Amino acid sequence: MTYIAKPSMHHPSLSTNKVGYTRRDYEGRISTLCAGCGHDSISAAIVQACWEMDIEPHRVAKLSGIGCSSKTPDYFLGASHGFNTVHGRMPSVLTGANLANRDLLYLGVSGDGDSASIGLGQFANAMRRSVRMTYIVENNGVYGLTKGQFSATADRGSKSKKGIVNNDSPIDLVGLALQLGATYVARSFSGDKEQLVPLIKGAIGHGGAAFIDVISPCVTFNNHGGSTKSYDYVRQHNEAVSRIDFIPQHSEITTAYAPGELIEVRQHDGSYLRLRKLDTSYDPTNRYAALSYINEHQDRGEVVTGLLYLDPLAGDLHEALNTCAEPLNSLGIAELCPGVDALAKINASLR
């Protein structure tokens, strides 16, 4: 029924957020993905997060590449800026847009094929340059548009729908993000909205490169016995490291938690992430401990979810390049061409 347009009318009793929008205002077109696809749950989580954070849709720029995952930006934030790039090149286009206009919130949506195969180099450089963005990978371990071949994130030993065994080692994008310098790294499951929504909210409020790997089962090609990215497998092997709440800066911080049960980390925009830790020995501010923890549980066949690493003092690419506070796309001729004397002074400083 994807040819049917979504009704534009709103029920008058729908509640609005602090900027006057209903949740429906953050939706997009009707999804063309398979019924039950985990990607649609991620879209719903993004809608919920942006609505609860009182973000004006026109302040968001959403970018994607190619694949089932890269179709999803059409299904949320219909009133925001959007750009569908070529396969694997979303991070470069987003970097350029971010440099031109730092006033927008940048949301990059990709897939395991888009980021871990043809776009692996693009992913790596966006992380190491600390481009301020929320980078979400909808990870199902297969190429859904081309009928279910293994992607680069498919676990060794997992089986395809036709019974073929994958003999290649998987690429762990979470581990790579940690090694490359991402300052907010998380993993979640599309079927766990209670965990995913606050993780997205925390990533949007973060001041640097925020990466979330979301395991999102492909109901058509990778939701069977033998798959390590099916609904049943993830639910049976999920090891959550934390229960997370996101608290905007203007909200009062509650004191309903007993001493020692809570870690509060101040974010770049002044908001806080509140972590109720299930494992008291786990420290989300220790990059190397996070890598070790992930590898340890991966060897047990467990999927570690939650906020895995956070640098509360993260900077971004604009800070590293010392760009001006005003968006570059708004600069006029006088600022861009200061004259011969200014050019001569710059040249002299380089001799």
Side-chain angles (χ1 to χ4, degrees):
M1 305 293 286
T2 55
Y3 58 88
I4 299 177
K6 182 177 288 188
S8 58
M9 64 183 67
H10 289 182
H11 194 278
S13 66
L14 287 178
S15 59
T16 60
N17 58 12
K18 292 185 178 180
V19 289
Y21 292 95
T22 69
R23 191 184 180 282
R24 281 289 308 275
D25 292 319
Y26 293 85
E27 297 177 357
R29 299 187 183 185
I30 294 176
S31 173
T32 62
L33 298 174
C34 304
C37 178
H39 294 2
D40 285 332
S41 298
I42 299 172
S43 295
I46 293 171
V47 167
Q48 188 70 22
C50 291
W51 182 70
E52 291 180 0
M53 291 181 73
D54 306 313
I55 293 172
E56 296 172 304
H58 66 269
R59 290 190 56 233
V60 178
K62 54 183 182 179
L63 294 92
S64 62
I66 296 295
C68 290
S69 59
S70 296
K71 295 171 62 179
T72 61
D74 199 27
Y75 312 142
F76 60 81
L77 294 175
S80 68
H81 305 279
F83 195 92
N84 184 222
T85 72
V86 295
H87 204 2
R89 301 303 188 265
M90 176 274 290
S92 290
V93 178
L94 187 149
T95 300
N98 181 288
L99 286 173
N101 188 355
R102 64 189 301 170
D103 282 351
L104 296 177
L105 297 172
Y106 288 92
L107 177 60
V109 179
S110 185
D112 41 301
D114 197 52
S115 284
S117 291
I118 190 171
L120 187 58
Q122 303 275 315
F123 166 78
N125 284 291
M127 294 297 103
R128 75 181 188 88
R129 288 173 179 152
S130 197
V131 179
R132 184 170 184 179
M133 63 186 297
T134 299
Y135 194 130
I136 297 176
V137 166
E138 300 177 344
N139 187 352
N140 57 21
V142 297
Y143 289 97
L145 287 184
T146 53
K147 310 308 179 188
Q149 302 92 332
F150 292 118
S151 80
T153 66
D155 293 316
R156 176 180 285 178
S158 61
K159 294 182 180 180
S160 70
K161 190 174 182 179
K162 295 182 178 180
I164 299 172
V165 177
N166 177 40
N167 295 313
D168 297 331
S169 297
I171 291 177
D172 181 11
L173 290 172
V174 163
L176 279 178
L178 284 166
Q179 292 175 326
L180 292 165
T183 49
Y184 182 107
V185 180
R187 176 183 280 134
S188 192
F189 174 51
S190 63
D192 190 354
K193 191 175 181 180
E194 183 179 352
Q195 182 191 64
L196 182 55
V197 170
L199 284 177
I200 293 173
K201 292 163 73 174
I204 292 173
H206 186 62
F211 174 70
I212 307 177
D213 178 36
V214 187
I215 298 175
S216 178
C218 174
V219 293
T220 302
F221 296 110
N222 211 20
N223 192 38
H224 52 270
S227 168
T228 58
K229 287 183 170 56
S230 65
Y231 281 109
D232 288 342
Y233 185 91
V234 176
R235 285 173 177 147
Q236 293 167 8
H237 296 80
N238 188 351
E239 175 70 21
V241 299
S242 55
R243 175 181 150 191
I244 302 171
D245 294 320
F246 180 84
I247 301 178
Q249 185 177 9
H250 50 71
S251 297
E252 180 181 0
I253 299 176
T254 64
T255 56
Y257 296 87
E261 292 184 346
L262 187 67
I263 291 180
E264 295 185 349
V265 185
R266 186 178 177 86
Q267 290 246 90
H268 186 271
D269 66 347
S271 57
Y272 287 83
L273 279 174
R274 301 179 61 211
L275 288 78
R276 183 173 168 185
K277 298 171 66 174
L278 302 181
D279 184 349
T280 56
S281 65
Y282 186 81
D283 180 7
T285 63
N286 188 325
R287 185 186 299 271
Y288 303 104
L291 270 170
S292 177
Y293 188 90
I294 293 168
N295 291 334
E296 176 187 344
H297 285 265
Q298 196 170 46
D299 287 343
R300 300 179 193 169
E302 296 174 349
V303 181
V304 178
T305 62
L307 180 59
L308 304 173
Y309 175 71
L310 172 67
D311 180 358
L313 303 176
D316 70 346
L317 185 59
H318 283 279
E319 183 179 322
L321 296 179
N322 195 28
T323 60
C324 60
E326 188 175 353
L328 300 184
N329 65 351
S330 66
L331 299 179
I333 295 296
E335 294 85 4
L336 296 173
C337 302
V340 176
D341 292 340
L343 180 60
K345 187 179 293 185
I346 294 173
N347 289 335
S349 69
L350 299 175
R351 292 195 177 102

